[in-house]
Amino acid sequence: MNVKILADSACDLSESYYNEYNIEMVPLTVHLDEKEYADGIEIQPKTVYEAMRNGKGPKTSQVTPQAFKTIFTSYAESNQAIIYLAFSSELSGTYQTAKMMEQEVKETYPNAPIHVIDTKCASIGYGLVVLNAAKKAKNGATIEDIINSAAYDSTHMEHIFTVDDLEYLYRGGRVSKTAAFVGSLLKIKPILHVDNGKLVPLEKIRGSKRLFQRMLEIMEERGTGFTNQTIGISHGDDLERAEQLAEMIKEKFGVEDILIEMVGAVIGAHAGPGTIALFFLDKPAD
């Protein structure tokens, strides 16, 4: 029996991957101009970035309990094995909601093969975990194999990223007002990472030239086996700089497999235009 992989829109994968690997995507919600939009379905990231450049402050909300209940019930009724790999529980309540609905559905269908896993990852870091799981599912791997592999990838996925303007992270409650003010005043570019699912500032770099160089140094310090894995880059509507970083990685590490995607509307609403994020496994699985 094939295993179905579910992901939410915070994994920032484009539709072609959902189609190719038969992944079901559950959208989070973007609130803009007093309207609600299903992320990746009814609104595209570019729209959100343009709104932010024009001074608007989009908001986001998690997947509703009813959405999970409907999806889980439909799979339980057909006894279809599913693994929902969730956006980091430290950045959204979506995982907790899914766990609640899993338990509720299992009250009616106690043997339903539903598995909900917190990846503690975001954007393409999360997307790479989903993609690896979906490839295994497509090749007929068992539930246990897929869960173990996803757990390994989640634990070993590094997120190294920078934002163009700290003000957006401040608005979303991610950094203090002082940090945001000082950063924009001095043209300091922050480097942040994700530690156990949480967003944590790492360093401050003055000037953007040194920025990518330092991101590559951190990559070298933290990782290994880059030619045996897919490296992920996501960007807040700045493909040119994302491609520039990709070229630097190829040159420095001899990497060929780099996946570049735009940061989706939900994460983009907090990180803002000009975000550049780099993702890699600190140690690829054997």
Side-chain angles (χ1 to χ4, degrees):
M1 178 174 61
N2 267 9
V3 180
K4 179 80 174 178
I5 302 295
L6 267 72
D8 58 65
S9 58
C11 72
D12 292 348
L13 290 171
S14 55
E15 198 177 343
S16 60
Y17 290 108
Y18 299 129
N19 296 335
E20 186 179 351
Y21 294 103
N22 194 25
I23 302 163
E24 180 166 349
M25 188 270 274
V26 192
L28 280 81
T29 301
V30 179
H31 306 264
L32 182 64
D33 293 331
E34 296 178 12
K35 290 181 184 167
E36 290 188 359
Y37 301 93
D39 180 25
I41 297 170
E42 297 170 340
I43 193 166
Q44 295 308 313
K46 249 186 178 341
T47 308
V48 170
Y49 293 125
E50 284 306 320
M52 292 175 88
R53 287 184 183 114
N54 292 325
K56 291 181 180 172
K59 299 276 189 285
T60 62
S61 56
Q62 65 187 57
V63 181
T64 64
Q66 191 53 51
F68 279 125
K69 190 170 184 182
T70 303
I71 292 165
F72 291 166
T73 301
S74 70
Y75 285 115
E77 283 171 349
S78 59
N79 200 36
Q80 166 69 55
I82 64 165
I83 300 171
Y84 167 48
L85 297 165
F87 179 28
S88 173
S89 62
E90 297 288 350
L91 301 173
S92 166
T94 294
Y95 165 75
Q96 283 90 347
T97 301
K99 281 304 281 182
M100 260 180 0
M101 291 303 104
E102 175 201 357
Q103 284 156 8
E104 200 168 300
V105 168
K106 282 181 176 176
E107 284 170 16
T108 310
Y109 303 92
N111 298 319
I114 300 168
H115 304 268
V116 176
I117 293 164
D118 181 5
T119 65
K120 300 282 181 82
C121 295
S123 191
I124 288 300
Y126 167 25
L128 290 173
V129 175
V130 170
L131 214 47
N132 287 343
K135 286 174 182 175
K136 285 189 178 297
K138 194 175 180 180
N139 292 331
T142 65
I143 283 189
E144 288 72 24
D145 281 350
I146 298 167
I147 288 173
N148 289 339
S149 169
Y152 182 92
D153 289 346
S154 299
T155 307
H156 291 272
M157 188 64 68
E158 293 280 353
H159 305 54
I160 308 295
F161 68 103
T162 185
V163 294
D164 217 30
D165 190 343
L166 280 161
E167 177 65 25
Y168 300 120
L169 285 175
Y170 163 66
R171 283 184 206 160
R174 303 297 181 208
V175 296
S176 71
K177 179 68 181 164
T178 310
F181 176 71
V182 170
S184 49
L185 201 67
L186 301 175
K187 292 292 174 211
I188 284 172
K189 296 293 179 194
I191 295 179
L192 304 97
H193 72 146
V194 169
D195 183 19
N196 198 29
K198 290 180 187 158
L199 209 60
V200 182
L202 200 59
E203 295 180 8
K204 292 173 183 172
I205 305 291
R206 191 176 298 226
S208 48
K209 274 188 180 172
R210 172 89 181 100
L211 187 65
F212 283 178
Q213 205 179 326
R214 182 61 191 135
M215 285 172 81
L216 262 65
E217 285 169 8
I218 294 169
M219 186 175 174
E220 190 169 34
E221 288 161 14
R222 292 192 174 192
T224 182
F226 299 128
T227 53
N228 298 328
Q229 59 172 296
T230 303
I231 305 297
I233 296 174
S234 58
H235 64 93
D237 197 19
D238 195 345
L239 181 59
E240 194 180 323
R241 283 177 74 229
E243 288 177 338
Q244 183 193 341
L245 180 61
E247 282 309 311
M248 289 172 73
I249 290 168
K250 284 176 183 174
E251 201 175 299
K252 187 174 175 71
F253 301 113
V255 171
E256 288 178 14
D257 193 4
I258 298 182
L259 174 66
I260 300 177
E261 293 280 3
M262 197 182 288
V263 177
V266 159
I267 293 177
H270 297 281
T275 297
I276 299 284
L278 167 61
F279 309 93
F280 56 91
L281 291 169
D282 59 20
K283 184 171 183 269
D286 296 331

